[in-house]
Amino acid sequence: MRPHRTIANKAKIPFGRALSHALVSLIALAAASAAPAIAAEASIPKFVAKDGRHALLVDGAPFLMLGLQVNNSSNYPSQLPKVWPAAKAMHVNTLEVPIAWEQIEPVEGRFDFSFVDVLLRQARDNDVKLVLLWFGTWKNNGPSYAPEWVKLDNNRFPRVITAKGETRNSLSPHFPATLEADKKAFVQLMRHLKAADPDHTVILIQPENETGAYSAVRDYSPTAQKLFAGPVPAQLVKAMGKTPGTWSQVFGKDADEYFYAWSIGRYVNEIAAAGKRELPLPMYVNAALRDPFKYQDPYTYSSGGPTWNVLEVWKAAAPSIDAIAPDIYMRESDNVRKTLEQYDRPDNPLFVPEIGSDKGYARHVYDVLGRHGIGFSPFGLDQTGYSNYPLGAKTVDAQALENFAVHYRLLAPMAREWARLAYEGNVWGAGEADDRKAETLKLGDRWTATLSYGEWQFGSIDQPWMGKAEKQPGREVPDGGALIAQLSPNEFLITGYRARVSFGSVKGERFLMARVEEGHFEDGQWVFDRLWNGDQTDYGLNLTTTPQVLKVKLATY
Ligand code: DGJ
């Protein structure tokens, strides 16, 4: 459980100003408590953690990434005009873009950063931050984005050999020549960024992409076999609470996968650490997932990558990696939620750098932010004419963008405030589950909030006030969700989309909503618009397709 925090002592504050006061106090508190750490490196983005909660500081304050990842081959100046209109239509504040090894070092030792420069310039013009994805040794297990001088030279840069002696199109992490070549290019990229991006338009770096190997649990080359027969490094033995021995002795049936996770983790860590020595930007790795509930044969997923079962191994292997992030292409809400639970850890900021682009995925922004997540980013929603259906949307058209824009439009004006609230205190949230049923969230030990879907604003769909109510239209795909942040013990900030929020008392106290204020955020300030009362509150707080933000005060009588 996350600790409860009292945000403001409201006893002496007239309620008319109490909510705003609470928020201002919260901001002041955040500024005061974070000040010394932030002041030292005001401008360079970094992760911070407190009481098990995380924030990505950008310009010295928590930042919520409302992202979009472009398609794999959209990393050329010719494609950017097809990217920015999509970013604008979706109201993103962060764009994730690959930088390919083959692009910056097509000839060994000769570097070309022209795309990086164009991208930086255009991102600034479009007022969007960047996350750069280094497509180097691994791009979904293979070296497809490595330059030809790498991927065609099997002797110098050996590939994975399976237990049966077959060669896989995945580079082995056990060969220093490969590591050195990748590291050299990555270091050049970071050095270039240091010079070309003094204002930190780039806020985060992803070294490699979905590491691991498909159809091979690990490399069985003679070099790998020798390492595998040796002792488990002391660092890992200690981190896992084991007694020393060989890989098989220490890890038994998991030895092959753990060995591979450790080997890749160390490799990526060395690249990240070398890059950070040039420019200490925060860095994360992304995971191609395995089944979050059931055992799965490592042969059938990207073995050695940071799947949930080897997170401890990766954490021990890669201290220079600040976050391990799940790429979500599972459509079932139970699977999505389980995955978020697995990657939301006191030692790991929750970030979803890829999620499917289809409408059904969009509601999960509420699940991610409700778990104090620092960012969310659907994959492949640019206008370069590519769709990764059946993983994502069949057609990437205006409607596909709008399916995410409805949520980003709501969150963008309050992104900084939300990030601060999520870092400083309690937040909750959920997207509509596949069963479409109402869900009750426990807001600490006094209050609950029930989120329900498919309601009209007046009355209840099951027991209409008069006559029979039609079903809400447009609900073929679950798309609702809500977020709640605690402002003080009995005060909450609420927003969401196509959801009804109804409060309850844990102990059965007689209570009411003493004040429900609708407002919006402008330049970080809360602007009061009106009070909700009567029909607007009698049947719960109905969040519709219109962006709505409410501050609610609960009281007993
Ligand atoms: C996950 C990868 O990380 C992305 O680069 C992309 O290949 C998607 N899968 C599929 O579109």
Side-chain angles (χ1 to χ4, degrees):
M1 287 300 296
R2 297 180 190 278
H4 175 83
R5 286 181 65 101
T6 300
I7 303 297
N9 173 3
K10 68 176 174 49
K12 299 197 189 81
I13 309 164
F15 184 67
R17 297 205 319 269
L19 290 175
S20 310
H21 182 98
L23 200 71
V24 168
S25 308
L26 181 76
I27 292 164
L29 191 74
S33 58
I38 294 168
E41 275 179 5
S43 59
I44 188 142
K46 68 172 180 183
F47 280 112
V48 287
K50 181 166 58 178
D51 301 333
R53 297 184 298 265
H54 303 270
L56 174 63
L57 299 186
V58 172
D59 298 325
F63 185 80
L64 170 64
M65 290 182 277
L66 299 172
L68 155 63
Q69 182 163 151
V70 302
N71 278 301
N72 290 164
S73 312
S74 298
N75 56 330
Y76 288 86
S78 64
Q79 300 308 297
L80 290 179
K82 299 170 199 160
V83 166
W84 299 119
K88 189 158 192 255
M90 278 177 66
H91 298 264
V92 311
N93 60 19
T94 306
L95 193 73
E96 300 175 4
V97 186
I99 302 296
W101 188 0
E102 66 180 358
Q103 178 176 33
I104 67 159
E105 197 185 8
V107 177
E108 188 169 6
R110 270 201 246 147
F111 290 92
D112 174 0
F113 293 109
S114 51
F115 172 66
V116 177
D117 293 339
V118 170
L119 179 65
L120 286 171
R121 206 164 44 240
Q122 294 192 14
R124 288 179 199 126
D125 290 347
N126 284 278
D127 198 16
V128 159
K129 302 288 184 198
L130 292 171
V131 175
L132 299 187
L133 320 172
W134 172 238
F135 284 8
T137 301
W138 287 277
K139 158 62 175 99
N140 310 11
N141 127 100
S144 52
Y145 280 86
E148 287 190 27
W149 60 267
V150 174
K151 65 189 171 194
L152 300 183
D153 191 343
N154 229 19
N155 286 331
R156 188 172 162 203
F157 308 111
R159 284 174 161 76
V160 165
I161 311 286
T162 68
K164 289 187 191 148
E166 295 160 350
T167 301
R168 295 278 181 253
N169 186 21
S170 187
L171 295 179
S172 167
H174 303 303
F175 295 87
T178 319
L179 172 60
E180 288 310 315
D182 183 320
K183 189 165 73 180
K184 194 169 138 206
F186 185 70
V187 161
Q188 291 296 329
L189 171 63
M190 296 305 290
R191 190 171 295 167
H192 184 79
L193 279 183
K194 186 176 181 176
D197 188 30
D199 298 332
H200 305 298
T201 296
V202 177
I203 57 173
L204 191 57
I205 301 280
Q206 179 196 291
E208 313 300 339
N209 190 84
E210 292 196 349
T211 56
Y214 287 108
S215 314
V217 183
R218 66 172 175 90
D219 182 15
Y220 287 80
S221 65
T223 304
Q225 289 301 81
K226 211 169 149 201
L227 290 168
F228 186 75
V232 175
Q235 205 180 330
L236 183 61
V237 169
K238 189 165 172 237
M240 305 291 283
K242 300 281 188 183
T243 40
T246 65
W247 287 89
S248 296
Q249 286 164 348
V250 177
F251 296 117
K253 65 175 178 29
D254 295 323
D256 294 321
E257 189 179 0
Y258 280 32
F259 168 75
Y260 208 44
W262 171 263
S263 305
I264 298 180
R266 293 304 294 159
Y267 184 110
V268 175
N269 188 65
E270 193 165 331
I271 290 174
K276 282 185 171 188
R277 283 195 287 276
E278 297 295 325
L279 178 64
L281 281 175
M283 300 199 186
Y284 76 98
V285 291
N286 61 337
L289 302 178
R290 57 166 269 182
D291 191 297
F293 291 103
K294 295 195 296 276
Y295 171 77
Q296 206 182 321
D297 181 352
Y299 234 77
T300 63
Y301 58 86
S302 196
S303 175
T307 46
W308 65 265
N309 55 314
V310 293
L311 287 178
E312 307 305 333
V313 179
W314 263 84
K315 284 285 172 191
S320 292
I321 294 298
D322 303 284
I324 301 179
D327 289 350
I328 300 182
Y329 293 96
M330 295 175 293
R331 290 178 180 275
E332 309 75 17
S333 54
D334 282 354
N335 281 342
V336 173
R337 288 179 176 192
K338 187 68 187 170
T339 298
L340 298 180
E341 187 190 316
Q342 287 161 343
Y343 286 82
D344 170 15
R345 303 164 31 130
D347 64 353
N348 196 56
L350 180 64
F351 171 41
V352 177
E354 291 184 36
I355 192 164
S357 54
D358 217 355
K359 182 175 182 180
Y361 289 104
R363 61 192 154 138
H364 296 304
V365 69
Y366 301 104
D367 293 297
V368 174
L369 301 195
R371 282 189 163 272
H372 300 243
I374 54 143
F376 181 85
S377 180
F379 177 86
L381 283 170
D382 60 29
Q383 293 166 338
T384 55
Y386 186 82
S387 138
N388 68 358
Y389 177 82
L391 278 189
K394 211 175 258 173
T395 331
V396 180
D397 54 11
Q399 185 55 53
L401 303 177
E402 182 63 11
N403 292 337
F404 288 86
V406 293
H407 309 298
Y408 281 10
R409 198 176 281 128
L410 177 71
L411 295 167
M414 56 185 285
R416 284 286 193 176
E417 285 67 33
W418 179 265
R420 189 174 284 121
L421 287 163
Y423 182 51
E424 289 296 325
N426 294 319
V427 299
W428 301 268
E432 187 175 0
D434 291 351
D435 65 11
R436 324 300 292 266
K437 288 201 178 125
E439 270 189 274
T440 298
L441 310 178
K442 200 155 175 276
L443 315 180
D445 53 12
R446 190 166 189 199
W447 305 111
T448 62
T450 299
L451 313 185
S452 50
Y453 305 94
E455 296 284 6
W456 296 96
Q457 289 164 281
F458 190 88
S460 143
I461 192 90
D462 294 330
Q463 294 168 304
W465 188 243
M466 287 171 74
K468 197 167 152 34
E470 286 171 19
K471 281 201 159 40
Q472 274 267 5
R475 286 189 22 86
E476 297 73 23
V477 176
D479 63 354
L483 291 173
I484 303 172
Q486 188 154 33
L487 301 176
S488 79
N490 302 321
E491 293 164 344
F492 300 92
L493 182 84
I494 294 176
T495 195
Y497 184 79
R498 301 190 80 191
R500 170 177 290 181
V501 181
S502 310
F503 284 98
S505 157
V506 172
K507 296 178 198 134
E509 289 178 287
R510 217 166 45 226
F511 79 98
L512 45 68
M513 290 186 284
R515 183 179 170 97
V516 179
E517 196 174 313
E518 181 181 6
H520 63 277
F521 287 95
E522 252 175 53
D523 301 327
Q525 297 298 314
W526 174 252
V527 180
F528 169 91
D529 290 324
R530 62 168 171 163
L531 294 185
W532 280 19
N533 211 332
D535 285 352
Q536 282 67 52
T537 58
D538 285 348
Y539 307 99
L541 304 173
N542 292 288
L543 302 163
T544 65
T545 56
T546 306
Q548 287 151 327
V549 191
L550 304 172
K551 288 182 182 179
V552 180
K553 179 196 179 190
L554 303 176
T556 50
Y557 61 94

